[in-house]
Amino acid sequence: MIRSLVKEYGVPWVFNRSLYSIKLKTMRTIPVIEKMFEKEVYVKRVDIFKINTCPIEELLGSLSAIKKEEILLIADNAIQGKIKGFSSIDLDYGYPIEWNVNPITSKEVDNSLKWYQIPDFNPVLGDIKAVWEISRFTHFFYIVRAYMISKDRKYYLAFSNQLDEWLKENMYSYGANYKCGQEATLRMINILIAYSVFKSYGLTTLQDSENVRRIVESSYKKVLSNFFYAHKCIKNNHTLSEIVGLIVGAWACNDDIRLKKAYELLNKEIIKQFLPDGGYIQYSFNYQRFALQLMEFVLSISNQTNIQITNKSKELIKNSANLLYQLQDEAGDVPNYGSNDGALIFPVTSCDYRNFKPVINTISALIDGERIYENGIYDEEFMWFGNEDINNLKHSCIDRKSTSFNDSGYYSFRHKDGFLMTTLQNYKTRPAQMDQLHIDLWHKGINVFCDSGTYSYATDIGKGMALTAAHNTAKLDDKEQMKKREPFLIYDWTSSKNISHSKSSFTGTMISKNGYQHTRDIQKATSGYTVIDKVSGDGKFCEIYFHTPLRVRKDSGGVRLYKDEELICSLLTENIVEIRKSYRSLHYLKKEEISCIIIKNEMKENKCSNELLIKMEY
């Protein structure tokens, strides 16, 4: 294992990760050591975010009565400590709010403990992300939007009171809410945005300003004191978030030297994390949207900081939005690919969580001054982060087509009423799931063959969803594509070879260090797709999986898939087919039962070959 970590993660990563472990152990033994990593800061200003509420008010006023009532209901619940967690599930933190409780397990974190004394994974407490969720203050977006709709002062009072209560219960640097610099950054950003809205209406008091200042100060201190870990060890969306935290904190402290250095760090990190063709370093569309929304905020505050990110950074961000557009269903959804923790850090539209139109449209408008879609409720996101009237922007009509994203390892085919995507990476950075050569099929607005998702990083169901059998690919006996330890440490990465893609075909080979190879050949046919899988390695049986939310009916030639009574497609094969119960998670901590179609092949002379036809109904 150590050899693999050194080879794949690099000597600097192993060294820095070891240093960080030593730091934590030392602080637990000699708590006073923590002061060595602290930096003195003093926040002088908090008006970094400027907003024009008029167009947002107008759009919110045009929403249907049902949409308005939904915003008001979510906001009213949030006043009482009941929030929409992870964009999907109701989490009740009580009233007054218990800021250090996991509402799912009802277990509380001792907020007299220093952050480094609290474990990341505690089976009794449950998923610590559930503790953190309310302290992100994402629910403030519903509260301020509810005020824009109703002009009811109770929403401002809830904002003001919750700031006051949070500060009383969360003293720096004690408790779970100071464990993570990313959480501190998101808390700081969301509070600053909400504060700017209520201030624009003349509602805020000097006490509000002081509370905001104190939260920005403690959040900035947290990021500064532990940025080494995000920068040298995590190297993903946490790093991006915390650099944005450095930008906000430096501006708030009127520290031009640190501000300039933070922007320099950000430009370097964008180049590291966004691939030339638009892919994102974490191999996850949810985290890709997360990163793009962060960039919306960065672009929106450039007039205040008087610093722009580079044109190179803007080009990479624009390419990233385009990749999501090309792999998008007409309704706005994308494959549930990679880790999905339910994060929608800026829920500033009435679109569904799974709709990626708001972020794609906003990035295009911010960088190119052009909108991707016709007018819609997704325009609200641009109104929060843009300085222009979106109705004056040119509409740029872009066709979706069969596409190769070779840097990122995504390959797609477009057919009438849908598309197919497959993945094959040659990993240069840490993978998240065992999903090489996964197939995602969309037809008639339905995710016919789907990714299982994530559910939770801290549960057995969630851990299983990261493994090979949770994806639409092949598996030899009990061999996984890679080795995995703890929720996030994957090693012995696969490699790839012989990749070829055209408008009508794809072929590529995944090489596993666990002793097998998988070659998948996809041919676009008149009625669908022909898929040929070849697996070689030391084993007895090969299984090929297809997960589907549709009703499955088995017959002599394979299976047929139905939505209600409508036949959507058929999967035709001569090999043995089994149907098992499975799960998928479209939202964090939320799952639904689906079916897993398993095609079984016997290995002969350490090889097997399987051909099937995915026949679409038009």
Side-chain angles (χ1 to χ4, degrees):
M1 175 182 170
I2 298 299
R3 183 179 296 177
S4 294
L5 289 179
V6 171
K7 183 178 179 181
E8 295 167 353
Y9 289 77
V11 172
W13 183 90
V14 175
F15 176 74
N16 290 323
R17 189 65 182 82
S18 301
L19 279 182
Y20 185 69
S21 296
I22 293 170
K23 172 186 173 180
L24 292 180
K25 290 176 182 177
T26 304
M27 287 194 297
R28 289 168 188 152
T29 306
I30 313 171
V32 72
I33 293 292
E34 181 185 11
K35 293 187 180 296
M36 293 176 54
F37 303 100
E38 297 288 349
K39 293 180 174 61
E40 289 299 320
V41 301
Y42 182 72
V43 169
K44 302 174 183 177
R45 52 186 180 176
V46 293
D47 296 321
I48 193 171
F49 190 79
K50 301 296 183 181
I51 188 167
N52 180 3
T53 58
C54 293
I56 302 174
E57 272 193 32
E58 185 177 343
L59 188 146
L60 290 172
S62 69
L63 294 176
S64 67
I66 293 175
K67 290 287 187 184
K68 291 177 186 175
E69 285 300 318
E70 182 181 3
I71 294 170
L72 295 172
L73 177 61
I74 293 174
D76 288 343
N77 286 337
I79 292 175
Q80 300 296 319
K82 302 172 184 176
I83 68 165
K84 185 70 70 176
F86 308 107
S87 306
S88 65
I89 63 172
D90 295 325
L91 298 176
D92 188 349
Y93 292 84
Y95 187 75
I97 294 170
E98 297 180 276
W99 300 99
N100 284 275
V101 164
N102 182 335
I104 298 172
T105 62
S106 299
K107 300 298 181 182
E108 185 174 7
V109 179
D110 186 349
N111 67 349
S112 69
L113 295 175
K114 284 284 191 174
W115 66 269
Y116 50 80
Q117 295 173 313
I118 300 168
D120 292 334
F121 300 99
N122 181 338
V124 176
L125 174 67
D127 197 328
I128 198 169
K129 287 176 68 64
V131 179
W132 291 340
E133 187 71 358
I134 194 166
S135 291
R136 279 191 175 187
F137 289 105
T138 308
H139 60 279
F140 275 178
F141 287 104
Y142 290 100
I143 285 175
V144 296
R145 293 169 76 225
Y147 179 81
M148 290 181 186
I149 291 170
S150 68
K151 295 299 188 297
D152 192 325
R153 187 176 170 83
K154 71 178 181 180
Y155 296 112
Y156 155 69
L157 292 174
F159 160 80
S160 181
N161 292 336
Q162 287 189 16
L163 288 187
D164 205 53
E165 292 165 5
W166 193 90
L167 281 165
K168 290 175 183 176
E169 296 296 323
N170 293 274
M171 184 173 69
Y172 183 84
S173 58
Y174 293 85
N177 290 313
Y178 283 106
K179 275 190 66 64
C180 178
Q182 173 168 271
E183 296 301 316
T185 295
L186 296 177
R187 179 183 314 132
M188 174 169 55
I189 291 173
N190 293 340
I191 287 171
L192 286 169
I193 293 175
Y195 171 75
S196 73
V197 172
F198 285 123
K199 186 177 182 181
S200 73
Y201 288 107
L203 295 171
T204 55
T205 65
L206 290 177
Q207 185 60 52
D208 294 328
S209 300
E210 174 59 15
N211 285 343
V212 172
R213 191 196 70 79
R214 288 176 61 194
I215 289 176
V216 170
E217 195 165 273
S218 64
S219 299
Y220 184 37
K221 283 183 71 174
K222 171 60 190 177
V223 176
L224 277 174
S225 69
N226 215 45
F227 181 65
F228 169 86
Y229 179 57
H231 191 212
K232 301 295 184 181
C233 302
I234 301 185
K235 300 182 179 181
N236 59 18
N237 66 294
H238 283 252
T239 317
L240 275 184
S241 299
E242 294 192 33
I243 293 174
V244 176
L246 294 178
I247 289 172
V248 174
W251 181 89
C253 292
N254 202 16
D255 188 334
D256 290 338
I257 294 175
R258 280 183 176 164
L259 180 64
K260 184 178 178 181
K261 287 182 177 178
Y263 267 98
E264 289 171 355
L265 269 175
L266 180 60
N267 284 309
K268 290 177 181 177
E269 200 62 30
I270 289 171
I271 291 171
K272 289 178 183 176
Q273 294 204 20
F274 290 92
L275 303 180
D277 64 0
Y280 185 59
I281 194 174
Q282 282 185 267
Y283 309 106
S284 159
F285 291 159
N286 175 249
Y287 282 138
Q288 189 164 338
R289 174 172 64 179
F290 181 109
L292 289 174
Q293 281 202 315
L294 273 177
M295 295 304 101
E296 291 175 352
F297 176 77
V298 169
L299 291 165
S300 74
I301 63 173
S302 60
N303 287 337
Q304 293 299 107
T305 63
N306 292 317
I307 303 177
Q308 291 274 352
I309 58 174
T310 65
N311 289 334
K312 173 67 174 177
S313 292
K314 291 179 181 179
E315 185 71 19
L316 290 170
I317 293 165
K318 183 180 72 172
N319 290 347
S320 186
N322 177 65
L323 183 147
L324 291 174
Y325 177 80
Q326 289 295 337
L327 298 175
Q328 185 180 45
D329 178 61
E330 293 297 327
D333 203 349
V334 299
N336 191 22
Y337 169 76
S339 297
N340 182 356
D341 67 355
L344 180 62
I345 55 175
F346 303 138
V348 289
T349 75
S350 294
C351 295
D352 182 75
Y353 162 78
R354 298 283 327 162
N355 192 336
F356 281 61
K357 286 184 178 181
V359 69
I360 294 170
N361 204 47
T362 302
I363 290 294
S364 174
L366 287 172
I367 293 178
D368 277 347
E370 296 182 354
R371 57 184 304 134
I372 299 295
Y373 313 99
E374 298 285 355
N375 292 19
I377 58 175
Y378 36 76
D379 287 341
E380 186 184 347
E381 187 156 323
F382 175 79
M383 294 174 183
W384 282 82
F385 299 104
N387 297 314
E388 301 178 60
D389 183 348
I390 194 167
N391 295 311
N392 293 334
L393 298 183
K394 176 184 175 183
H395 174 221
S396 178
C397 186
I398 302 173
D399 290 334
R400 294 189 180 95
K401 56 188 178 182
S402 300
T403 312
S404 300
F405 295 99
N406 296 308
D407 298 323
S408 307
Y410 307 130
Y411 305 90
S412 71
F413 301 97
R414 284 279 163 182
H415 62 260
K416 180 187 175 185
D417 295 334
F419 70 99
L420 179 148
M421 181 192 84
T422 191
T423 64
L424 183 55
Q425 283 85 16
N426 194 17
Y427 294 117
K428 300 292 191 301
T429 57
R430 178 176 59 183
Q433 297 196 350
M434 318 286 188
D435 51 16
Q436 293 281 55
L437 292 173
H438 166 82
I439 283 178
D440 225 89
L441 179 66
W442 293 69
H443 189 58
K444 296 184 176 180
I446 301 166
N447 194 181
V448 177
F449 296 133
C450 60
D451 196 305
S452 295
T454 297
Y455 183 65
S456 169
Y457 299 127
T459 65
D460 289 339
I461 292 175
K463 291 171 185 176
M465 284 183 173
L467 302 180
T468 309
H471 299 93
N472 302 326
T473 188
K475 183 178 179 183
L476 177 58
D477 290 347
D478 61 351
K479 302 177 190 289
E480 295 292 339
Q481 291 184 351
M482 295 169 278
K483 293 185 177 68
K484 192 170 189 285
R485 185 174 178 180
E486 301 175 345
F488 306 115
L489 187 60
I490 291 179
Y491 61 101
D492 282 348
W493 301 345
T494 61
S495 59
S496 61
K497 67 177 183 180
N498 301 332
I499 299 174
S500 175
H501 177 266
S502 69
K503 292 182 179 180
S504 60
S505 68
F506 165 86
T507 187
T509 298
M510 181 277 299
I511 305 168
S512 170
K513 292 180 181 175
N514 289 337
Y516 74 102
Q517 294 188 19
H518 174 202
T519 298
R520 174 159 274 177
D521 183 276
I522 303 171
Q523 299 289 332
K524 187 177 179 183
T526 303
S527 59
Y529 299 92
T530 300
V531 180
I532 300 173
D533 289 295
K534 296 179 181 178
V535 177
S536 60
D538 185 12
K540 295 181 179 180
F541 292 97
C542 169
E543 293 184 337
I544 302 169
Y545 307 98
F546 290 93
H547 298 79
T548 182
L550 297 178
R551 183 166 59 86
V552 181
R553 185 178 298 167
K554 186 177 175 182
D555 61 27
S556 58
V559 295
R560 299 182 188 277
L561 284 73
Y562 295 83
K563 181 175 175 59
D564 300 324
E565 294 303 314
E566 180 186 4
L567 178 62
I568 302 299
C569 80
S570 304
L571 200 158
L572 308 177
T573 178
E574 296 179 355
N575 288 304
I576 300 171
V577 175
E578 292 183 5
I579 312 296
R580 292 182 195 164
K581 181 178 76 173
S582 188
Y583 295 98
R584 76 165 171 176
S585 172
L586 293 174
H587 307 82
Y588 201 68
L589 290 175
K590 197 171 185 179
K591 66 182 187 297
E592 63 180 304
E593 187 175 310
I594 61 172
S595 296
C596 179
I597 303 164
I598 305 171
I599 301 171
K600 306 194 75 169
N601 296 269
E602 184 177 352
M603 299 290 288
K604 296 180 181 178
E605 297 180 353
N606 293 333
K607 294 181 181 179
C608 82
S609 181
N610 182 83
E611 181 174 347
L612 60 92
L613 173 64
I614 301 171
K615 184 178 179 183
M616 321 301 298
E617 297 296 324
Y618 295 105

